Amino acid sequence: MSLRSLRFTTCMATLGAVSAILSVGSTPAKADEGMWTFDNFPIQTVNTKYGTRIDQAWLDKVRGAAVRLNGCSASFVSGEGLILTNHHCVVSCVQDLSSAENDYVKNGWMPATREEEKQCPGQTAEVLTDITDVTDRVLAAGAGLEGAAFVTARGAETQAIQQEGCGDDPKLTCQVISFYRGGRYALYKFRKYDDVRLSFAPEFQAAFFGGDPDNFNFPRYALDAGFLRAYEDGKPAETPNFLKWNAEAPKEGDVTFVAGNPGSTSRLLTMSQLQRLRDQQLPLQLIQGSELRGRLLAYSATGDEAKRVSVDPIFGLENSFKVWYGQNQALLDPAFYGKKQAEETELRERVAADPALAQRIGDPWTELETVQAAARDLAVPYRQLVTSAGGGSTLYGIANGIVGLAKERAKPVAERRPGFTDAAIARTTAQLGQEVPISKDLEEIYLGFWLSKTREYLTVDNAAVKNLLGRESPEALADRAITGTKLDDVAYRVAAAGMSVEELTALGDPLIDLAMKNYDASAALRTEWDAKVNAPTARAAERVAQARFAVYGDNLYPDATFSLRLSYGAVEGWSYRGVTVPATTTIGGLYERATGSEPFNAAQKFLDAEDRVNKDTVYNFVSTNDIIGGNSGSPVINAAGEVIGAAFDGNIHSLGGSYGYDGELNRTVTVSTAAITEALRNVYQQPRLLEELGVR
């Protein structure tokens, strides 16, 4: 359990106008479409189209230099653990290192020496080292079982595979990942670094120039870049496999590759699943997200300190809100929705035309329609009491984690929920010992919002609501629980993590008591969801995947699952409704766009350096690469395997990126290494970083 597992910080996700989306992922990929796994990358297709000479050695080099952060992507760019990513991927760390006296979010983090680099609480850096197919083992684990028993068996086998792969080695992470919605499974083994320190971050205004109005748009003028460093045994990690820094900007037409960890796409969902997303899940997220944003904005206006501590949460929530809105608009577009329907109809008809295949596959689409009916009934309580419990409160997340440790530790290992092995419990306890600044004002907002929405949606007479609130109002309970808890004290929560249920109850901590009340209700809902939704969905989705393989072959990329992928494309602008958008912007455009008023006020250091910088330097550029949220910080790589930028956004026409890709309009937005180099040299005077990057 990460201490910031419930914070409202999210990374890049793509948005745009879906009426023009023509390609989706249920048929063989077209154009530059696809977030491909490294063990199934279409090498020959790319080499033929772009005249490149990439091979397995090239792929292995890129894979070994790509880094997965918490919710973001990155890459090693030196042999001494230096990591390039986006500023918005490190801003929560910058916030944690800040105080009212030293606001590094506002002023930037620019240590003069490595000794001044500070650890980012809870951050890890992982490098994929091995991929092993485990499909047969996972599929066999649920044979003959139904409902919750099926989910439990699958979970136990998955946990066993992970334990066999990594054991209790703290330097390794093993994860069994589902691909093609259950069509295949693979064990991904990672080399993990859990001492990750902040090396450099520009001012927030330089990184997010243009603010929310420019977010998911282009032209852009944002220095959305930051540097971390992996440490091992207190020293910079030795990372001989890194991407060489290329300080030259790419030209239009140059081939580009993006290596990163796209979070989640839904291109392989069936129509009944998409319909429930459109009609229930996304509207609820939009309604609640909008109201929470209003509460956070109101709080941020109460004073300088309130504004400082709420910058990151507001940024993350506004980013998420645009994503949810874009996804919902995509599914409301008749042309796009009709295209998805036509593709599903084609697949089903081709299965039906092959009697042997039809007998083997059955009718999983109708089965999934039945599942959606059950999911609609359970979705709201499941969301309020399980997936969104605590409403984003870090302290509630800690309390809930501690209660979970006590509950699961009391069971035999074989009967515990996945993720509660002895080794996992030890790792969680260690994470609880990390110092993380916590704003109790924000905590009270999150908790009170969650309790009030839970009462509103489940009603006052709901048994779970009565159990949570008793005779208190949501606001009063939130105030009492946050004010009265001692979980913001590291020693206290580490001690609590080792206690039994009885000992926790005796503590009388109001937040632990609240988490305890919700734990059993949420556990019962989780079991019901497994039985009525997860298990039958997994069974049916596997057969839909097999149908795709049978009809279209293996030349398919899977939906994104926050696992390492590689996309290919080229630097290219686009035209829309008579307007042509160029592929690049320059630093000079920043000064022309600046108005002096938020959010178009240029950072002071850029204003001070105006006479020194080369205004012709390419600042941001766009390419046809297919990416999605989670790709934030991904290295953009040229054909020689050199890093030429860090992807940080998508253009406005990528609105339906979760559900389809349009090579004519969808674009990845990247901050160039040329601009980062120019800023390090002439804006921030960082000779030590330039030397490490090999820049003269």
Side-chain angles (χ1 to χ4, degrees):
M1 181 196 68
S2 168
L3 295 190
R4 41 177 92 256
S5 60
L6 290 176
R7 286 196 182 181
F8 282 88
T9 52
T10 60
C11 283
M12 188 282 305
T14 54
L15 293 177
V18 292
S19 59
I21 290 178
L22 303 177
S23 300
V24 290
S26 59
T27 56
K30 308 177 185 72
D32 294 334
E33 176 183 355
M35 302 168 221
W36 299 86
T37 57
F38 271 70
D39 57 350
N40 189 36
F41 187 75
I43 295 176
Q44 191 55 52
T45 298
V46 177
N47 285 341
T48 298
K49 178 174 183 178
Y50 286 108
T52 52
R53 296 182 179 180
I54 65 170
D55 54 17
Q56 190 59 49
W58 189 96
L59 290 176
D60 290 343
K61 174 187 175 182
V62 170
R63 174 187 51 76
V67 175
R68 183 170 73 169
L69 303 174
N70 296 346
C72 279
S73 301
S75 59
F76 284 121
V77 290
S78 87
E80 299 174 274
L82 190 66
I83 297 170
L84 170 68
T85 188
N86 288 154
H87 179 276
H88 76 258
C89 294
V90 303
V91 66
S92 59
C93 173
V94 183
Q95 184 109 45
D96 287 343
L97 298 178
S98 297
S99 64
E101 294 74 29
N102 295 295
D103 187 351
Y104 299 116
V105 175
K106 179 181 179 180
N107 301 319
W109 174 266
M110 303 163 200
T113 65
R114 287 187 186 175
E115 288 70 30
E116 296 174 78
E117 295 175 344
K118 296 291 182 67
Q119 187 171 6
C120 293
Q123 184 61 273
T124 60
E126 297 175 323
V127 178
L128 178 63
T129 60
D130 297 284
I131 302 173
T132 305
D133 186 272
V134 294
T135 303
D136 291 343
R137 282 189 64 176
V138 175
L139 295 183
L145 300 175
E146 301 293 338
F150 170 88
V151 175
T152 299
R154 282 280 180 92
E157 184 65 15
T158 294
Q159 192 160 282
I161 293 171
Q162 293 172 167
Q163 183 66 22
E164 292 168 16
C166 286
D168 296 331
D169 191 334
K171 294 182 179 181
L172 299 177
T173 297
C174 278
Q175 182 182 6
V176 172
I177 301 174
S178 170
F179 296 99
Y180 305 99
R181 298 285 165 182
R184 290 176 185 166
Y185 292 85
L187 173 67
Y188 274 40
K189 181 185 286 188
F190 300 86
R191 171 67 168 88
K192 183 176 72 171
Y193 301 89
D194 56 14
D195 183 354
V196 179
R197 306 185 191 182
L198 185 64
S199 296
F200 173 82
E203 313 96 312
F204 184 82
Q205 194 53 34
F208 199 45
F209 176 82
D212 191 58
D214 265 2
N215 198 20
F216 301 116
N217 282 292
F218 197 82
R220 291 291 290 278
Y221 305 88
L223 191 70
D224 198 348
F227 289 96
L228 300 167
R229 191 183 303 279
Y231 278 72
E232 189 171 18
D233 301 324
K235 301 177 182 178
E238 295 182 6
T239 52
N241 194 4
F242 64 92
L243 299 178
K244 182 181 178 181
W245 189 267
N246 185 329
E248 298 297 321
K251 301 181 295 296
E252 184 144 6
D254 285 357
V255 64
T256 51
F257 300 87
V258 175
N261 301 274
S264 177
T265 56
S266 301
R267 298 178 185 180
L268 301 183
L269 290 183
T270 65
M271 294 309 297
S272 63
Q273 292 173 303
L274 290 175
Q275 184 179 358
R276 191 175 70 81
L277 272 175
R278 180 194 68 190
D279 297 344
Q280 184 184 45
Q281 183 173 324
L282 288 169
L284 185 56
Q285 287 176 329
L286 282 166
I287 291 169
Q288 290 204 16
S290 179
E291 183 175 342
L292 179 59
R293 178 179 61 176
R295 295 192 185 198
L296 292 177
L297 287 171
Y299 169 71
S300 72
T302 61
D304 291 342
E305 180 64 4
K307 183 177 181 179
R308 183 187 73 81
V309 300
S310 60
V311 165
D312 183 28
I314 290 172
F315 165 73
L317 186 54
E318 287 186 333
N319 193 71
S320 295
F321 187 84
K322 271 195 172 180
V323 173
W324 299 329
Y325 177 78
Q327 291 173 342
N328 201 47
Q329 290 301 303
L331 296 179
L332 288 171
D333 183 88
F336 177 71
Y337 201 74
K339 177 70 174 178
K340 296 288 289 185
Q341 181 67 70
E343 294 202 343
E344 180 171 298
T345 298
E346 178 195 357
L347 177 59
R348 297 178 70 169
E349 287 176 347
R350 292 182 65 172
V351 169
D354 183 337
L357 179 60
Q359 184 175 12
R360 176 162 66 89
I361 298 299
D363 189 5
W365 295 274
T366 299
E367 292 172 24
L368 286 169
E369 289 173 10
T370 302
V371 171
Q372 300 320 302
R376 285 187 185 92
D377 291 339
L378 290 173
V380 175
Y382 185 73
R383 181 187 194 278
Q384 292 303 122
L385 299 177
V386 182
T387 60
S388 296
S393 162
T394 298
L395 289 174
Y396 181 90
I398 292 171
N400 189 61
I402 288 172
V403 171
L405 293 177
K407 294 271 190 178
E408 299 300 321
R409 194 168 44 231
K411 303 175 184 177
V413 174
E415 297 177 15
R416 294 176 186 171
R417 285 170 45 206
F420 283 94
T421 61
D422 288 340
I425 288 174
R427 286 194 297 269
T428 298
T429 302
Q431 289 173 342
L432 289 170
Q434 296 175 339
E435 190 74 62
V436 176
I438 294 172
S439 165
K440 285 202 168 184
D441 285 350
L442 287 176
E443 292 291 298
E444 191 172 328
I445 291 172
Y446 291 141
L447 194 65
F449 179 76
W450 167 60
L451 291 169
S452 66
K453 293 295 105 178
T454 299
R455 183 177 68 178
E456 177 182 333
Y457 283 92
L458 302 189
T459 77
V460 174
D461 295 318
N462 179 273
V465 172
K466 288 183 176 180
N467 182 50
L468 285 173
L469 293 179
R471 301 180 66 85
E472 290 183 276
S473 70
E475 294 74 21
L477 176 55
D479 176 69
R480 181 172 65 84
I482 297 301
T483 302
T485 188
K486 298 179 182 178
L487 287 172
D488 52 333
D489 179 83
V490 172
Y492 177 86
R493 62 178 178 246
V494 169
M499 295 182 180
S500 66
V501 172
E502 292 75 19
E503 290 170 328
L504 288 177
T505 302
L507 273 181
D509 186 290
L511 196 55
I512 291 177
D513 290 346
L514 180 63
M516 192 89 72
K517 287 180 178 180
N518 190 50
Y519 196 88
D520 290 339
S522 64
L525 267 173
R526 189 180 294 109
T527 299
E528 189 175 7
W529 187 266
D530 282 346
K532 296 181 178 180
V533 181
N534 283 343
T537 295
R539 288 283 198 194
E542 288 165 11
R543 285 179 285 129
V544 173
Q546 294 306 318
R548 286 196 181 94
F549 295 146
V551 171
Y552 301 119
D554 292 335
N555 187 29
L556 302 170
Y557 64 92
D559 264 329
T561 53
F562 197 52
S563 54
L564 187 62
R565 306 294 179 88
L566 187 65
S567 71
Y568 63 91
V571 177
E572 185 180 315
W574 74 97
S575 296
Y576 182 67
R577 293 182 177 175
V579 177
T580 297
V581 182
T584 63
T585 62
T586 64
I587 291 180
L590 166 72
Y591 296 99
E592 295 173 5
R593 198 175 184 87
T595 66
S597 300
E598 292 186 358
F600 294 101
N601 52 319
Q604 188 60 48
K605 285 187 173 62
F606 266 84
L607 293 175
D608 294 341
E610 184 173 2
D611 293 337
R612 296 193 300 270
V613 299
N614 180 358
K615 292 185 177 180
D616 293 328
T617 301
V618 170
Y619 205 161
N620 298 158
F621 65 88
V622 293
S623 63
T624 60
N625 295 83
D626 188 6
I627 64 172
I628 199 73
N631 271 120
S632 283
S634 294
V636 180
I637 304 163
N638 63 16
E642 301 166 330
V643 61
I644 57 173
F648 70 92
D649 211 343
N651 71 338
I652 198 67
H653 301 292
S654 302
L655 181 70
S658 289
Y659 313 114
Y661 169 81
D662 175 15
E664 294 297 318
L665 295 175
N666 287 22
R667 295 293 182 269
T668 290
V669 183
T670 297
V671 55
S672 74
T673 50
I676 298 170
T677 301
E678 184 68 17
L680 291 176
R681 179 185 289 125
N682 290 320
V683 179
Y684 300 110
Q685 288 86 46
Q686 294 288 309
R688 73 180 185 94
L689 286 179
L690 291 170
E691 181 180 2
E692 185 171 356
L693 293 170
V695 178
R696 295 182 181 275

